Amino acid sequence: MIPSEVTRKGFLMGMAGGTLLVQNERATITVEGDWRVRVSAGGFSVGSKEVQIAEETVLQVTPTTILTIKDEKYDSLALYNPKAAPWTRGTKLKQLATAETTAPQMLEPNSVVVKPSPGGSPYKLGKDYDLEPQWATFGRMEGGIPENTPVWVDYVCGWGRIDSIVVDRAGKVSLHTGKPHNATPEPPPTASKETRIANIWLPGNLKHLTETNLYPLLEPHYPHPKRRGKTTAQLLLPKTWHKLTTGEPIHILAWGDSVTAGGEASSIEKRYQNRFVAHLKERFPKANIRLTTAGWGGRNTDSFLNEPPGAEFNFDHAVITPHPDLIVMEFVNDAWMSPEVVEQKYSYLLKRFQEIGAEWAILTPHYVRPDWMNSPNERVETDPRPYVAGVRQFCTKHSIALADASLRWGHLVKEGIPYMTLLSNSINHPNDPGHEIFAQALMELF
C-alpha cells in the first residue's frame, strides 16, 4: 500500500507462515476517477483522536454545483469600462455577486445571452454589450444597448462546495454533501457519533477531482504554543499588561486598511479589533479598555504618511495625536514591501511611536487570492510573501510584539479548510471566521 501524500503513512512488519502481518496499517484517502474518492481500511489520526475505518469504501462525489439561469432581469446596465478592475467593469451577474466583487472563474462565458425581453433576439457581444468572462461583469457599449434599458440574461455558472468524509463509531465511512455558495461555502454539519476525517473542496469551475481537492483533517485546531514564564505581552507590552491587570484606563488603536475598517465582518462587533477587545475583557476582568479605529480602505502605511496635515487619515492626526497606549497594526496592503523596505519604513514608525510612549503590536496579514501569492491554488501552508518574512525579521530585531496571523492562515490546510472560503469578496476581505483568526493571533501574545 502506497499512501497518498495527503494521508497518514503506516508500516508493515513480520512474516508468519508465509503470511505478511500488517501492524498499525494506516488508512489512505485517494482520488479514483473524476468524481470518486477511495478510503481504505485502517487507522486514521484526526489530531490526537484515533479513528478506525472498518472496511474500504469508494465514495461517489456529486460534481460541482452548476446553476442554469434563465431570463434573469436587470433594470439597466452600467456602461462597460475595460480600463477598470475586472470585477468593476460593468454590472455584476447576480448569482456570482459576492461582498463588493464577483466570484472569479465561475462563469461559463459562452453561455451568456443578453436579450431585450424574455425570448427576444439576443444582443450582440462586442457591439451591443461587452463581458469580462473571468469576473462575470458585463455592461452596455456606446451605440449599443441604450441607457436605462432593462435586459434579460441567460447564463450558466458554478458555485463552490465543501463536502465532508465522516466515520461513525462502527467505523463506517460516508459522505456528507455541503451547501453550495459562490464565495464562502462551509463544511456540512456532522452528528455527535461521527468524526470528520477529511473535506473535499469543489470550486465552482472544477471539471474533475484531483489530490489538491482533498483536505484531510490532520490537525483540526491550531496548536497553541506552550509557554514557560512570562507572556509575550509581559515582556514586550509591559505598559499594556499593567493597565489591563490593574484596571487603569487603556486606549487601544487599531490602525490599518480596509480589513481594519471592517471588510467583510458582518458587524462592528465581529471586526478583529472588537473581538480582540472582547477576549481581553474575558482574560482581564478588571480591564478598562477604550478602542478606536483608523482604517482606510485600499491604502497602506505610506498613504497615511502622505496625507496632508488636517486630513482625516493624515498619520499624525489619525494615529499619533490620539496618544494611544497600544497600536495594533494590520496592513495587507503593505505586502508589496521587501524585507529591506520593511526595515526602513517601519523603523520610522517605531521612532514616532516611541516618542509618544505607545506600544506596538504588528499583525502579519491574512492570505489573499492565490495568484497574488504566486500560488497555483489554495493549498498554501508556508507564506511565500517577502513582506511577511520582513515583518518577522523586523519584530525580532526591534523586540516588537508580533501577532503572526499568517501562521494561522497557513494552518487552515491541516484543519481541512481551503482558505479562499474565508474571503467574502473572493479576493482579500476575510469573513467573520477570518477576523477571528486575527483576534486569536493577538490573544496569543497574552
Side-chain angles (χ1 to χ4, degrees), residues 10 65 105 173 259 262 290 307 314-315 365 399 435:
T65 301
Q105 298 179 328
V173 176
V259 176
R290 178 166 67 96
E307 278 293 278
N314 167 266
F315 175 71
S399 298
H435 275 265

Side-chain angles (χ1 to χ4, degrees), residues 52 166 246 253 269 287 301 312 338 349 381 402 407 445:
Q52 290 297 324
V166 302
T246 63
L253 172 69
E269 291 73 23
T301 49
E312 178 183 2
S338 66
L349 297 179
E381 291 190 52
L402 174 67
L407 288 178
L445 301 174

Side-chain angles (χ1 to χ4, degrees), residues 19 127 137 190 226 282 442:
T19 302
K127 178 182 178 182
T137 54
T190 60
K226 294 181 180 180
E282 293 176 0
L442 288 164

Side-chain angles (χ1 to χ4, degrees), residues 26 33 87 103 107 132 138 154 171 207 209 273 323 403:
R26 311 307 293 165
W87 51 87
L107 176 68
E132 209 302 312
F138 71 123
D154 302 339
K207 304 305 180 185
L209 290 173
Q273 61 267 42
H323 279 82

Side-chain angles (χ1 to χ4, degrees), residues 253-333:
L253 172 69
W255 180 37
D257 47 38
S258 56
V259 176
T260 298
E264 291 297 326
S266 62
S267 66
I268 290 176
E269 291 73 23
K270 294 293 186 179
R271 296 184 307 182
Y272 77 82
Q273 61 267 42
N274 295 79
R275 293 295 300 144
F276 171 49
V277 168
H279 290 310
L280 283 177
K281 289 180 177 179
E282 293 176 0
R283 172 77 172 82
F284 303 96
K286 293 182 180 180
N288 180 10
I289 304 170
R290 178 166 67 96
L291 172 68
T292 59
T293 294
W296 193 10
R299 305 305 198 276
N300 56 28
T301 49
D302 279 351
S303 304
F304 282 81
L305 292 167
N306 293 333
E307 278 293 278
E312 178 183 2
F313 293 113
N314 167 266
F315 175 71
D316 283 300
H317 173 76
V319 183
I320 297 298
T321 300
H323 279 82
D325 297 295
L326 172 63
I327 297 169
V328 174
M329 190 183 89
E330 168 281 322
F331 273 101
V332 69
N333 289 338

Side-chain angles (χ1 to χ4, degrees), residues 13-331:
M13 294 180 59
M15 295 288 293
T19 302
L20 182 66
L21 298 180
V22 180
Q23 296 185 6
N24 197 32
E25 183 175 352
R26 311 307 293 165
T28 63
I29 306 173
T30 54
V31 172
E32 182 180 277
D34 287 350
W35 301 105
R36 291 190 304 277
V37 173
R38 181 180 295 275
V39 183
S40 70
F44 194 92
S45 299
V46 180
S48 60
K49 183 177 182 179
E50 184 71 8
V51 178
Q52 290 297 324
I53 298 170
E55 61 182 7
E56 185 173 82
T57 305
V58 176
L59 302 169
Q60 186 68 42
V61 180
T62 302
T64 294
T65 301
I66 301 296
L67 305 180
T68 300
I69 310 302
K70 291 289 186 182
D71 294 328
E72 189 171 72
K73 185 181 179 181
Y74 295 76
D75 293 331
S76 63
L77 292 185
L79 184 66
Y80 190 80
N81 180 6
K83 296 182 180 180
W87 51 87
T88 62
R89 289 183 182 175
T91 300
K92 303 173 187 177
L93 284 171
K94 294 178 181 179
Q95 301 302 322
L96 293 175
T98 66
E100 292 192 312
T101 63
T102 47
Q105 298 179 328
M106 302 291 189
L107 176 68
E108 292 289 346
N110 294 333
S111 70
V112 177
V113 179
V114 182
K115 303 168 291 186
S117 62
S121 298
Y123 288 113
K124 292 185 178 181
L125 176 66
K127 178 182 178 182
D128 299 315
Y129 73 97
D130 209 345
L131 169 72
E132 209 302 312
Q134 298 298 313
W135 288 89
T137 54
F138 71 123
R140 59 186 178 84
M141 300 181 68
E142 293 285 3
I145 299 173
E147 187 177 2
N148 298 322
T149 298
V151 298
W152 282 258
V153 185
D154 302 339
Y155 59 99
V156 176
C157 64
W159 276 15
R161 198 178 75 237
I162 298 176
D163 294 350
S164 293
I165 302 173
V166 302
V167 180
D168 66 15
R169 291 173 183 169
K172 182 181 178 180
V173 176
S174 59
L175 181 68
H176 290 355
T177 301
K179 185 178 180 180
H181 193 275
N182 65 6
T184 54
E186 299 177 357
T190 60
S192 58
K193 64 180 180 180
E194 296 173 328
T195 300
R196 194 190 321 266
I197 65 170
N199 287 324
I200 304 173
W201 166 227
L202 298 103
N205 62 345
L206 190 67
K207 304 305 180 185
H208 58 85
L209 290 173
T210 70
E211 298 291 329
T212 61
N213 301 114
L214 300 181
Y215 282 74
L217 274 71
L218 304 181
E219 293 181 7
H221 306 288
Y222 185 78
H224 295 281
K226 294 181 180 180
R227 295 192 181 280
R228 294 180 179 178
K230 293 184 177 181
T231 66
T232 301
Q234 286 176 289
L235 295 171
L236 302 182
L237 305 172
K239 182 171 75 172
T240 297
W241 182 272
H242 174 75
K243 290 193 172 187
L244 289 172
T245 54
T246 63
E248 294 181 35
I250 181 171
H251 177 197
I252 298 177
L253 172 69
W255 180 37
D257 47 38
S258 56
V259 176
T260 298
E264 291 297 326
S266 62
S267 66
I268 290 176
E269 291 73 23
K270 294 293 186 179
R271 296 184 307 182
Y272 77 82
Q273 61 267 42
N274 295 79
R275 293 295 300 144
F276 171 49
V277 168
H279 290 310
L280 283 177
K281 289 180 177 179
E282 293 176 0
R283 172 77 172 82
F284 303 96
K286 293 182 180 180
N288 180 10
I289 304 170
R290 178 166 67 96
L291 172 68
T292 59
T293 294
W296 193 10
R299 305 305 198 276
N300 56 28
T301 49
D302 279 351
S303 304
F304 282 81
L305 292 167
N306 293 333
E307 278 293 278
E312 178 183 2
F313 293 113
N314 167 266
F315 175 71
D316 283 300
H317 173 76
V319 183
I320 297 298
T321 300
H323 279 82
D325 297 295
L326 172 63
I327 297 169
V328 174
M329 190 183 89
E330 168 281 322
F331 273 101

